[in-house]
Amino acid sequence: MTYKNGEEEAVKIPLVTPYKMGKFQLSQRVVLAPLTRQRSYGNVPQQHAVLYYSQRTTKGGLLISEATGVSDTAQGLPETPGIWTKEQVEAWKPIVDAVHAKGGIFFCQIWHVGRVSNSGFQPNGQAPISCTDKGLTNLEQAGGTDITSFTPPRKLTTKEIPLIVDDFRTAARNAIDAGFDGVEIHGAHGYLIDQFMKDGVNDRTDEYGGSLENRCRFALEVVEAVVNEIGADKVGIRLSPFADYMQSGDSNPKALGLYMAESLNKYNILYCHMVEPRMKTLGEKDDCPDSLVPMRKAFNGTFVSAGGYDMEDGNNAVAENRTNLVAYGRLFLANPDLPKRFELNAPLNKYNRETFYTSDPVVGYTDYPFLESAV
């Protein structure tokens, strides 16, 4: 697909056309995907995040924050931010203010890792919590850390589950108090909510296990609690029904994705953010005949797609009405002015995987060049 920007043959580029998402008037369809960067020392957002997020802000652009822990049991990676303490809420405020100063719309992704952790990240060295007591086999931790073993989790009792739901509710309230425009519930990538939903992990025999409806109960209770706390017009959710990240696969991902898309309509949430079926493993595209189109058709709100998109693929998805918005991760990480580059069909900076998950406050974080200074 070729786009010309000359006066005689101007062609609208789908990704940079405006879109109304609920009460938010977006200037374009390119979304900053939630990206773990591991630069929030002691789980507290830092001043260098002000520059990082503001660099990637355009007037009317939608940004989703990196995954942000809902409690002290939610941690599984070093130096990831939280939003359960007053200190964390206060630390987020200047970051949110910087995005708003440039006219951006900013959602906080709220997160619990579940069993993707070990006791070193947990309060008092306790076992991580999950829907199961089945542990992960040793594999390299997401985020490229040197932690290659996971502590077997403790299965939550039925009575404890409402307490975790309440952690998400409180985190959502804290996000609004920090100034965020809304929250995205992290229900993807093998973390706690996904662990409950996937039959490859969930082996419960109570009302939170067994049938598809039971396995999705926890996710929908979180959605309901968050909606009741801050309003449906400020709530999105991210799902990856087809993915097998962190050994969290499902035997019928199509049914899972469709059930969730349909069930979410009851709560009238703002958007559903789904990861493409081709992204079955972390960071790698696979050949896959499956599609998100049935879920996109079933869901009544704004639909956001993510997973392996380039400019042409994203333009096609919007033009063919397969999605409303496209979330970009690695490309946006390396190109702080990505929407402008798409508009001009300009060359892109190459990303450097080796600096994705370091603690350096500059290198691989805020030092990627803008178009006017790119070589």
Side-chain angles (χ1 to χ4, degrees):
M1 189 179 287
T2 302
Y3 301 99
K4 298 183 179 178
N5 293 311
E7 292 181 7
E8 294 183 1
E9 197 172 351
V11 178
K12 282 190 178 179
I13 301 169
L15 280 170
V16 293
T17 55
Y19 175 78
K20 194 167 193 315
M21 181 181 74
K23 64 184 178 183
F24 303 106
Q25 184 61 57
L26 305 185
S27 59
Q28 33 85 12
R29 317 292 186 106
V30 181
V31 178
L32 175 66
L35 296 167
T36 291
R37 304 310 313 274
Q38 296 182 209
R39 289 161 167 88
S40 295
Y41 313 142
N43 304 126
V44 177
Q46 299 294 307
Q47 185 65 28
H48 44 251
V50 170
L51 180 58
Y52 172 74
Y53 282 108
S54 64
Q55 282 181 333
R56 286 154 185 81
T57 302
T58 56
K59 185 176 182 180
L62 174 61
L63 297 83
I64 306 169
S65 82
E66 60 209 278
T68 302
V70 300
S71 72
D72 59 357
T73 69
Q75 306 307 301
L77 288 167
E79 318 298 9
T80 53
I83 198 156
W84 72 88
T85 71
K86 182 173 177 53
E87 181 187 11
Q88 291 162 342
V89 171
E90 291 301 314
W92 272 116
K93 286 182 178 179
I95 304 167
V96 176
D97 287 347
V99 170
H100 285 160
K102 293 182 71 174
I105 296 132
F106 203 8
F107 273 54
C108 181
Q109 190 189 65
I110 52 176
W111 179 48
H112 195 300
V113 302
R115 69 175 184 166
V116 187
S117 185
N118 67 40
S119 57
F121 289 106
Q122 298 298 312
N124 304 314
Q126 65 194 36
I129 55 176
S130 181
C131 62
T132 180
D133 56 10
K134 290 187 301 186
L136 285 159
T137 56
N138 287 357
L139 46 79
E140 185 178 354
Q141 177 86 292
T145 72
D146 58 359
I147 299 161
T148 54
S149 62
F150 299 89
T151 304
R154 178 180 67 80
K155 183 186 290 190
L156 287 162
T157 67
T158 308
K159 289 182 178 179
E160 287 178 302
I161 291 174
L163 301 176
I164 311 303
V165 172
D166 197 58
D167 286 338
F168 277 91
R169 180 197 62 76
T170 300
R173 170 51 56 197
N174 288 345
I176 299 303
D177 289 348
F180 283 100
D181 298 292
V183 302
E184 176 177 283
I185 298 162
H186 196 342
H189 296 167
Y191 297 115
L192 183 63
I193 292 174
D194 204 31
Q195 290 159 30
F196 270 87
M197 288 191 288
K198 299 287 183 65
D199 63 11
V201 182
N202 189 333
D203 56 359
R204 302 180 73 90
T205 57
D206 62 3
E207 59 263 43
Y208 291 94
S211 69
L212 178 58
E213 293 78 6
N214 282 356
R215 286 183 280 114
C216 293
R217 187 183 307 276
F218 173 62
L220 296 174
E221 286 181 351
V222 169
V223 170
E224 182 174 28
V226 170
V227 164
N228 288 342
E229 183 65 30
I230 65 170
D233 60 336
K234 302 180 189 72
V235 179
I237 189 169
R238 194 178 212 205
L239 302 169
S240 59
F242 293 89
D244 191 18
Y245 296 173
M246 296 299 159
Q247 301 165 4
S248 293
D250 193 81
S251 63
N252 193 344
K254 289 182 187 176
L256 172 59
L258 199 55
Y259 177 80
M260 283 298 295
E262 291 170 344
S263 299
L264 289 168
N265 289 331
K266 174 184 174 184
Y267 305 100
N268 200 31
I269 65 171
L270 184 63
Y271 71 80
C272 179
H273 180 184
M274 278 208 184
V275 178
E276 285 285 354
R278 61 193 175 196
M279 305 301 288
K280 284 189 167 62
T281 55
L282 194 60
E284 300 298 331
K285 280 202 288 190
D286 299 323
D287 291 330
C288 181
D290 292 315
S291 167
L292 294 179
V293 170
M295 296 96 198
R296 189 262 189 280
K297 289 180 177 177
F299 181 68
N300 292 339
T302 292
F303 198 82
V304 186
S305 297
Y309 278 92
D310 58 19
M311 185 183 79
E312 183 174 5
D313 196 12
N315 277 318
N316 288 339
V318 173
E320 295 164 10
N321 202 27
R322 287 185 277 119
T323 195
N324 300 120
L325 309 173
V326 181
Y328 287 87
R330 289 165 289 180
L331 293 186
F332 220 147
L333 179 156
N335 297 273
D337 51 357
L338 187 66
K340 175 58 70 176
R341 289 176 189 257
F342 282 171
E343 184 180 357
L344 301 175
N345 199 10
L348 301 179
N349 299 324
K350 290 186 170 123
Y351 53 80
N352 180 4
R353 287 180 180 276
E354 292 182 4
T355 59
F356 280 3
Y357 306 111
T358 74
S359 60
D360 194 290
V362 176
V363 177
Y365 192 57
T366 55
D367 60 347
Y368 282 103
F370 284 76
L371 193 57
E372 59 267 23
S373 59
V375 178

